[in-house]
Amino acid sequence: MSVTPTPSGDGTVLFEFLQRMGDNALILGHRLSEWCGHAPALEEDIALANTALDLIGQTQLWLGLAGEVEGKGRTADNLAYLRDATEFRNVLLVERPNGDFGKTLMRQFLFDAWHLVILQALRSAADKRIADIAEKAAKEVAYHLDRSRDLIVRLGDGTAESHRRMQEALDELWPYTGELFIGDTGDAELAAAGIIPAPESLKGAWDDVVGETLAEATLKKPADGYMHKGGKRGVHTEHMGFILAEMQFLQRAYPCATW
Amino acid sequence: MYAQMVKTDGTRVKSLDDMEPEERAFQQRIEAGQKIEPKEWMPEAYRKTLVRQISQHAHSEIVGQLPEGNWITRAPTLERKAILLAKVQDEAGHGLYLYCAAETLGISRDEMYEQLHSGKAKYSSIFNYPTLSWADIGAIGWLVDGAAIMNQVPLQRCSYGPYARAMVRICKEESFHQRQGFDILAKMVKGTPAQKAMVQDALDRWWWPSLMMFGPSDDASVHSAQSMAWKIKQNSNDELRQKFVDQTVPQADYLGLTVPDPELKWNETKGGYDFGEPDWKEFFEVIAGNGLCNAERLGARRKAWDDGAWFREGLLAHAAKAEARRTTAPAAAE
Ligand SMILES: [Fe+2]
Ligand SMILES: [Fe+2]
């Protein structure tokens, strides 16, 4: 097994990055699966389950590699089920509650647009293990983005009510998008080593997709005001504890059990 | 059965001699094992019975998402979560094929939803029972999908083409579901005493409702006789229940579980098990809407529909706008 050495010599910053990728997928997949059986159309139930399924599959890959890089014998399941909220590294955007279907779709779109840009960049990562995961995930996420983008346009430019709901969703979620593009010293180290793109560098491509889509949807792009952050370093919203209480229940209640 | 006690509108099964030439030709085609296709002539009662049966089956698939969906966010491992998500997605897909099959008979999906939401159309009694532990997810796959397969395998030979073809596709997936459910339990019974107890508790609660899925004995039912004459039903409820018990009891033994029926006993002469009667009073209460989860299940489906109205209207409005733009500015659209 060849482990690409990271700039800091140990795997800490890489471990950190891999958890971020895995946790974003895990928490968003969790939120989507809350819709199961409650979506506004049968086709949407199927599509949401499909997206959630892709995200859980990606979680297994990212967190599996994270555990390997950490080198302490932790599996993807150990990381998903036995870390507490402060150890989770997902952005705040993905832990936002589902709200109405419009909010769920807007959250999905804003995330998908970023997700595809970063995965496309990661396909040429200097670490082949990362490039391989990104290659597979990018194909899935391209489809997620096609879908969420299309629905944003149709609902933005639909009835007065669907327009209002989509604008409201956009305004509410916008302050959670800034975090996606803020790098820290670990990001800078990995970027310098050609392992990841610098988070800041993804903003241009994201702006293009989001800008075009919102224009076509006749939605007004909010001004870039104050942005929330913290998830990437483990400081979450109050929602996170409840997500984990639910998700980790069996592993916590029956610590010696295998399933 | 996902379709229980489907009525046929008739008071007796007609003989060939009683039929007008058109209906006689239809009946003879069925008896010759030919498939009836959507555009072909069919007796109105045949059409109505199929709409009832297929829509009830479709409603069961989509209401069935709810009890299992209840555990997706709490699945104990990432792999189990993915398997359950995929299963529930399959069930929604089954609903979709079945609604499409019913639509070939001249009813729209929206009309069928309306019948579900108003309580006019039924769905399987089984989905009105709660999922209380992770073992219930295993038990549903093993027993509920297992019972569904018993019913659906013969339906692959049903006389109505679109329904028979939907069943072929669905049956393949249901067998996966059954194996996956069994696998959940097989893993748990090898686990801690608490896990094993959870599995036994799940069997205790799901055994009788699973036997009720086949419906009460229909040996004397005119509806059943008519459905059989039309080949939209191939076996009696008791036959299927017997087959299910005979198949399932050895599996319960293998898992080291006790089937909660003191009357259960191997009968050498008949080559099958003797077993007790389900509580049919409970069954009829559940069918009538009085089960533990009826109000919640139907309420959840109604709420999903009502809350989603703006979404569906938004999509329709956009489609109309896009169409208008295309027709008023044909050059720009090219
Ligand atoms: Fe199904
Ligand atoms: Fe199934």
Side-chain angles (χ1 to χ4, degrees):
Chain A
M1 184 180 63
S2 77
V3 174
T4 310
T6 55
S8 54
D10 61 19
T12 316
V13 288
L14 187 55
F15 177 56
E16 196 64 17
F17 172 75
L18 293 168
Q19 287 179 98
R20 289 173 183 174
M21 293 303 289
D23 292 345
N24 282 334
L26 176 57
I27 302 303
L28 186 57
H30 178 96
R31 281 296 193 211
L32 292 180
S33 67
E34 291 173 1
W35 273 102
C36 181
H38 305 277
L42 191 46
E43 287 80 355
E44 297 307 314
D45 265 322
I46 294 173
L48 287 185
N50 196 47
T51 305
L53 192 54
D54 287 344
L55 291 171
I56 298 305
Q58 293 170 20
T59 304
Q60 290 175 291
L61 298 173
W62 290 123
L63 292 186
L65 181 55
E68 197 181 310
V69 164
E70 187 197 28
K72 292 182 183 165
R74 288 204 279 183
T75 63
D77 278 342
N78 293 156
L79 291 170
Y81 289 95
L82 300 174
R83 283 175 304 158
D84 202 350
T86 55
E87 298 163 279
F88 270 75
R89 294 293 182 260
N90 56 282
V91 291
L92 303 180
L93 177 66
V94 297
E95 68 196 57
R96 296 304 300 153
N98 286 337
D100 69 2
F101 202 64
K103 287 209 176 101
T104 291
L105 288 174
M106 187 58 79
R107 182 186 63 199
Q108 192 66 35
F109 167 66
L110 295 170
F111 181 80
D112 287 344
W114 170 83
H115 205 193
L116 186 60
V117 174
I118 191 169
L119 288 171
Q120 283 173 340
L122 288 171
R123 288 184 306 183
S124 44
D127 186 324
K128 186 170 180 311
R129 299 167 303 178
I130 293 178
D132 287 347
I133 297 174
E135 185 70 43
K136 178 181 184 293
K139 286 191 194 108
E140 296 167 348
V141 171
Y143 178 72
H144 302 171
L145 179 60
D146 275 352
R147 242 193 134 272
S148 60
R149 188 191 176 285
D150 177 58
L151 285 169
I152 297 302
V153 169
R154 289 156 70 190
L155 294 167
D157 185 25
T159 59
E161 189 187 359
S162 71
H163 178 88
R164 176 186 64 74
R165 285 176 184 260
M166 296 318 284
Q167 186 67 52
E168 225 174 81
L170 178 62
D171 295 344
E172 183 189 305
L173 293 168
W174 193 256
Y176 293 91
T177 58
E179 189 180 16
L180 294 165
F181 307 103
I182 302 171
D184 57 17
T185 54
D187 288 321
E189 268 186 59
L190 293 172
I195 295 173
I196 69 164
E200 299 81 357
S201 71
L202 306 172
K203 182 82 162 52
W206 183 82
D207 273 336
D208 290 347
V209 177
V210 171
E212 278 166 32
T213 306
L214 296 181
E216 204 184 327
T218 71
L219 294 171
K220 192 167 164 290
K221 188 172 164 178
D224 279 338
Y226 182 72
M227 291 287 175
H228 302 297
K229 55 181 184 292
K232 283 176 73 170
R233 56 190 170 84
V235 183
H236 292 275
T237 62
E238 290 177 350
H239 302 291
M240 196 63 187
F242 291 97
I243 291 175
L244 297 186
E246 186 171 346
M247 186 172 87
Q248 299 179 336
F249 155 67
L250 282 168
Q251 290 281 354
R252 300 289 192 182
Y254 302 92
C256 302
T258 54
W259 306 91
Chain B
M1 223 75 3
Y2 282 9
Q4 292 160 323
M5 306 198 328
V6 177
K7 293 212 167 66
T8 56
D9 281 352
T11 49
R12 64 185 182 90
V13 180
K14 282 193 236 174
S15 70
L16 284 174
D17 292 339
D18 290 343
M19 294 175 186
E20 296 297 321
E22 212 170 26
E23 186 172 359
R24 192 180 309 133
F26 169 86
Q27 189 61 39
Q28 282 167 335
R29 287 185 57 207
I30 286 187
E31 280 161 23
Q34 290 175 22
K35 292 274 179 265
I36 307 301
E37 295 301 332
K39 296 279 179 275
E40 294 168 348
W41 186 89
M42 61 185 78
E44 184 56 14
Y46 174 83
R47 192 188 69 79
K48 276 194 180 159
T49 302
L50 274 170
V51 167
R52 276 190 208 113
Q53 177 161 338
I54 302 173
S55 65
Q56 193 182 121
H57 192 163
H59 296 327
S60 299
E61 300 282 358
I62 58 158
V63 175
Q65 292 180 90
L66 298 169
E68 293 185 279
N70 185 35
W71 279 88
I72 294 177
T73 54
R74 290 178 287 171
T77 68
L78 294 171
E79 193 189 353
R80 293 288 179 203
K81 192 191 284 284
I83 291 171
L84 182 56
L85 263 168
K87 177 187 197 276
V88 176
Q89 189 194 17
D90 284 348
E91 304 301 4
H94 297 170
L96 198 57
Y97 312 149
L98 289 162
Y99 284 125
C100 291
E103 280 179 325
T104 64
L105 293 159
I107 183 168
S108 71
R109 207 202 299 180
D110 285 5
E111 285 173 87
M112 289 184 267
Y113 280 152
E114 163 55 32
Q115 292 176 353
L116 172 67
H117 299 155
S118 72
K120 186 180 170 227
K122 301 289 181 209
Y123 56 89
S124 178
S125 55
I126 195 75
F127 300 118
N128 293 310
Y129 290 85
T131 49
L132 303 179
S133 80
W134 176 249
D136 288 22
I137 299 306
I140 288 183
W142 174 38
L143 301 173
V144 175
D145 288 80
I149 292 167
M150 282 294 158
N151 177 43
Q152 290 170 192
V153 164
L155 281 175
Q156 296 178 104
R157 289 178 280 113
C158 158
S159 63
Y160 189 57
Y163 193 29
R165 289 188 289 272
M167 278 306 132
V168 173
R169 200 163 162 189
I170 289 173
C171 280
K172 281 193 194 123
E173 293 180 346
E174 301 295 14
S175 325
F176 267 120
H177 299 167
Q178 197 196 13
R179 257 176 285 159
Q180 287 160 350
F182 190 78
D183 184 62
I184 287 176
L185 302 180
K187 188 86 187 236
M188 288 178 75
V189 295
K190 284 191 222 117
T192 64
Q195 283 177 296
K196 187 158 185 204
M198 221 185 271
V199 176
Q200 181 63 53
D201 169 62
L203 178 62
D204 291 348
R205 284 180 290 107
W206 288 93
W207 175 256
W208 292 110
S210 299
L211 295 195
M212 290 177 203
M213 284 177 72
F214 298 93
S217 180
D218 59 356
D219 291 344
S221 158
V222 65
H223 301 302
S224 176
Q226 179 62 74
S227 286
M228 285 198 191
W230 281 332
K231 292 200 183 160
I232 54 185
K233 184 177 170 89
Q234 324 258 356
N235 310 85
S236 76
N237 293 349
D238 286 333
E239 268 167 31
L240 291 171
R241 187 170 14 252
Q242 181 71 52
K243 251 180 115 174
F244 175 76
V245 171
D246 292 344
Q247 174 189 288
T248 309
V249 170
Q251 295 169 347
D253 290 343
Y254 175 87
L255 292 172
L257 301 173
T258 308
V259 174
D261 178 357
E263 292 172 49
L264 184 77
K265 203 168 155 258
W266 178 253
N267 180 331
E268 193 61 53
T269 341
K270 82 171 179 189
Y273 287 89
D274 290 332
F275 53 95
E277 273 295 309
D279 179 354
W280 294 113
K281 199 170 158 291
E282 174 181 308
F283 171 80
F284 286 109
E285 289 292 343
V286 173
I287 285 282
N290 301 324
L292 190 55
C293 298
N294 290 66
E296 268 170 84
R297 300 287 187 247
L298 201 51
R301 290 309 309 170
R302 285 195 193 120
K303 184 173 189 304
W305 185 249
D306 294 345
D307 289 356
W310 72 269
F311 169 85
R312 297 186 303 273
E313 284 157 14
L315 296 188
L316 287 174
H318 179 80
K321 280 186 196 177
E323 177 65 26
R325 279 195 287 262
R326 232 196 358 255
T327 48
T328 53
E334 294 311 307

